[in-house]
Amino acid sequence: MSSLNPWRALAALVIVAAAAGCAGGSSGQATPEPHGEQTTEATAEPTADDSTETIEPSDSATTEAPEPDWEATARESADNSDGTGPLDPDQTEGRDLTLADFFSKEGQGIDETLYGVASLEEQKGIGAVLAWEDATMELRLANRYTSLAFSAGQANSSKSSDNVLRVEIYKNGKSADFVDIPFNEVYPFNVDVSNVNALKIVLKCRTQNDRECDYDESVTGVLYSMRLGS
């Protein structure tokens, strides 16, 4: 039996080792390295700058309250006052005077409505509630008329039937005449108003002893069928 050559055995080992190394290299796969870092983008949250802006009103859009017109208010007040200028014959001819025709009215409970006077029922007239306070009504005639006719009496609704209605006429500030009218009587007046500008009719409540009435709302005096002549 021949002996084994040592050099041939060493060569065989080298070949076997080389073959094993090649087999291991071909079966293994290298893990690829990432080329770049992957980043996750966060959703952008809205900021205060992105919110809707509040629109401030401009000076031109602001509505300012108008200043009150004091002169116009004064004129309107004068137009609505009780004062009525001098009466015009063209405006009063053929009709009875009304409360609106009087330049001024002073007294308690002066009213224009329907009254019962003596035997008259629902007579349209100008009435005033009287006690210790008189009622004064003034006409401005501007010397344009010659006569004033009317009737006067106590309303059937007067609280007292014992007192007297006094009707006193003033021409241009001076007393010209007066008449006392008991309850349930009517007195017709026909007053000369020639050259008269201011004519006042004053109603008073008097007792039968010619004293002031001593309690409120004693008498309701009524004037009716008032007409001016020119």
Side-chain angles (χ1 to χ4, degrees):
M1 183 171 175
S2 61
S3 60
L4 180 64
N5 189 345
W7 293 106
R8 289 183 177 181
L10 179 61
L13 289 175
V14 172
I15 293 171
V16 172
C22 291
S26 61
S27 60
Q29 294 182 354
T31 303
E33 294 294 330
H35 295 286
E37 296 182 357
Q38 294 182 353
T39 58
T40 303
E41 295 184 359
T43 303
E45 295 292 333
T47 64
D49 293 338
D50 296 331
S51 60
T52 304
E53 296 182 359
T54 302
I55 300 176
E56 296 294 335
S58 62
D59 295 338
S60 60
T62 303
T63 304
E64 296 182 357
E67 293 293 331
D69 190 343
W70 299 114
E71 293 183 0
T73 303
R75 288 194 299 268
E76 184 178 355
S77 298
D79 293 339
N80 294 332
S81 63
D82 291 339
T84 300
L87 297 178
D88 187 343
D90 292 338
Q91 302 296 326
T92 59
E93 183 178 2
R95 69 170 178 85
D96 291 349
L97 299 181
T98 67
L99 194 59
D101 292 315
F102 283 86
F103 178 79
S104 64
K105 289 90 64 179
E106 298 178 3
Q108 178 183 359
I110 298 177
D111 192 17
E112 184 173 32
T113 187
L114 300 178
Y115 296 93
V117 182
S119 59
L120 298 175
E121 296 181 0
E122 296 186 348
Q123 172 64 51
K124 184 177 181 180
I126 299 171
V129 179
L130 308 169
W132 53 80
E133 182 181 1
D134 302 338
T136 302
M137 292 170 279
E138 181 177 350
L139 293 169
R140 291 292 173 88
L141 306 177
N143 307 305
R144 297 171 179 171
Y145 298 90
T146 59
S147 64
L148 173 65
F150 65 94
S151 295
Q154 297 185 40
N156 294 341
S157 58
S158 296
K159 286 189 175 181
S160 173
S161 59
D162 299 328
N163 296 319
V164 173
L165 171 64
R166 176 170 292 180
V167 181
E168 189 166 2
I169 306 296
Y170 285 80
K171 299 178 182 180
N172 297 326
K174 297 180 180 180
S175 178
D177 193 11
F178 70 86
V179 175
D180 288 342
I181 307 171
F183 186 78
N184 199 38
E185 292 186 17
V186 172
Y187 188 88
F189 286 81
N190 196 346
V191 182
D192 183 4
V193 295
S194 301
N195 301 316
V196 174
N197 189 357
L199 180 77
K200 289 184 179 181
I201 303 174
V202 181
L203 305 182
K204 303 179 180 182
C205 179
R206 307 296 293 181
T207 68
Q208 294 182 4
N209 297 325
D210 197 19
R211 295 180 179 178
E212 292 183 353
C213 297
D214 55 1
Y215 65 91
D216 198 14
E217 301 179 356
S218 298
V219 167
T220 300
V222 180
L223 310 177
Y224 62 93
S225 300
M226 303 185 70
R227 290 209 176 190
L228 286 165
S230 56

